[in-house]
Amino acid sequence: MISKRLEHVVDWVEGNVLADIGCDHGYVCIESIKQHKVTKAYACDIAPKPLARAQAEVKSAHLEEQIQCLLLDGMVGLPEDVDIVVIAGMGGHTIIDILEKATLHRGMHFLISPHSDTELVRKFLISHGFTIEKEKMVYDKHYYPILACTYTQSEQVLSDFQIRYGYQVESSQDYVSYLQKQETKYQQLFLRVPKKRKEFEKELEILQKRDTL
């Protein structure tokens, strides 16, 4: 069964040919085909076992003609007809490594959902030719950001707040709750760790700037 987080990823899938990198059970590809978001998809994984699970799910859904399962190291060797790529459910450093090794084409769309180091991912994207277009925050036991971006070969400039907490983030209770949680965390750290008060004070100042955006 597809998770709430992946449901939100599928909601933003739009294109002709999808590649899901680190496909796990292949649910993103399956749902994207079922919902007519794309006409063809590649479920990709570096490990044989997850790929075998995806193949079984694809077969069970009778979608073998539209979804191909590929054993790949990230995006290396990805077919050239792909126009939208999903990279979700892995750490920020792994996502950056995948993008650094990838052959990219101008206009290629991405949906990226890191489970850690999102700030590093944003910094990498805006300095390596990607334009972040919109984001949303989804709470599914943890808070997960979803970034929609395009490889434009241009450099995007974001504020400190946008780098840390998102650019053009969809308004939602999940996002409001996430920002409140971050503010509470830094307020508590400010009181508990006197040696780093300047650092936490700066974080609180950045959070307060959201009201001016």
Side-chain angles (χ1 to χ4, degrees):
M1 185 176 178
I2 193 167
S3 66
K4 176 184 174 183
R5 175 174 60 93
L6 292 182
E7 279 182 358
H8 279 271
V9 170
V10 172
D11 283 345
W12 275 2
V13 169
E14 185 178 349
N16 295 308
V17 182
L18 164 71
D20 182 17
I21 309 301
C23 64
D24 195 17
H25 288 77
Y27 292 147
V28 168
C29 291
I30 291 168
E31 287 300 315
S32 296
I33 292 290
K34 282 184 175 179
Q35 295 180 33
H36 307 289
K37 300 280 187 175
V38 291
T39 57
K40 182 180 176 182
Y42 298 103
C44 310
D45 210 288
I46 193 172
K49 284 186 178 180
L51 201 66
R53 288 197 297 266
Q55 286 173 325
E57 293 291 341
V58 169
K59 187 175 181 180
S60 178
H62 307 290
L63 293 173
E64 299 99 319
E65 290 188 7
Q66 290 168 280
I67 301 174
Q68 186 177 350
C69 297
L70 302 177
L71 189 67
L72 295 180
D73 179 4
M75 292 176 62
V76 177
L78 194 68
E80 291 186 4
D81 57 350
V82 171
D83 60 357
I84 179 160
V85 178
V86 169
I87 311 177
M90 56 190 82
H93 287 283
T94 302
I95 289 172
I96 289 169
D97 184 59
I98 287 170
L99 293 173
E100 283 182 325
K101 293 177 181 176
T103 299
L104 303 171
H105 307 287
R106 188 168 183 168
M108 186 180 281
H109 298 287
F110 290 80
L111 294 174
I112 297 173
S113 183
H115 61 55
S116 64
D117 299 306
T118 306
E119 181 181 340
L120 289 178
V121 173
R122 288 193 190 96
K123 285 180 177 179
F124 174 85
L125 292 172
I126 65 174
S127 62
H128 286 78
F130 294 83
T131 299
I132 301 170
E133 293 157 347
K134 59 182 180 179
E135 298 187 34
K136 58 181 161 183
M137 182 66 70
V138 178
Y139 183 75
D140 188 6
K141 298 181 181 177
H142 301 280
Y143 287 100
Y144 295 101
I146 301 171
L147 290 65
C149 54
T150 301
Y151 185 62
T152 58
Q153 296 179 318
S154 59
E155 189 169 343
Q156 187 177 24
V157 178
L158 300 182
S159 68
D160 288 341
F161 175 83
Q162 290 164 341
I163 288 171
R164 280 172 173 74
Y165 300 108
Y167 174 73
Q168 298 286 17
V169 184
E170 187 178 87
S171 179
S172 69
Q173 186 55 51
D174 284 354
Y175 186 52
V176 171
S177 298
Y178 170 71
L179 293 179
Q180 288 173 341
K181 181 185 177 185
Q182 292 298 106
E183 192 163 12
T184 299
K185 179 182 78 173
Y186 286 118
Q187 285 170 344
Q188 291 174 345
L189 287 169
F190 179 81
L191 295 173
R192 291 176 184 172
V193 190
K195 289 182 180 180
K196 292 190 175 182
R197 277 190 173 173
K198 285 188 178 180
E199 179 184 328
F200 301 136
E201 189 174 33
K202 182 181 178 183
E203 291 298 330
L204 288 166
E205 286 174 0
I206 290 169
L207 271 163
Q208 286 163 6
K209 287 179 181 177
R210 69 182 183 272
D211 299 325
T212 63
L213 296 175

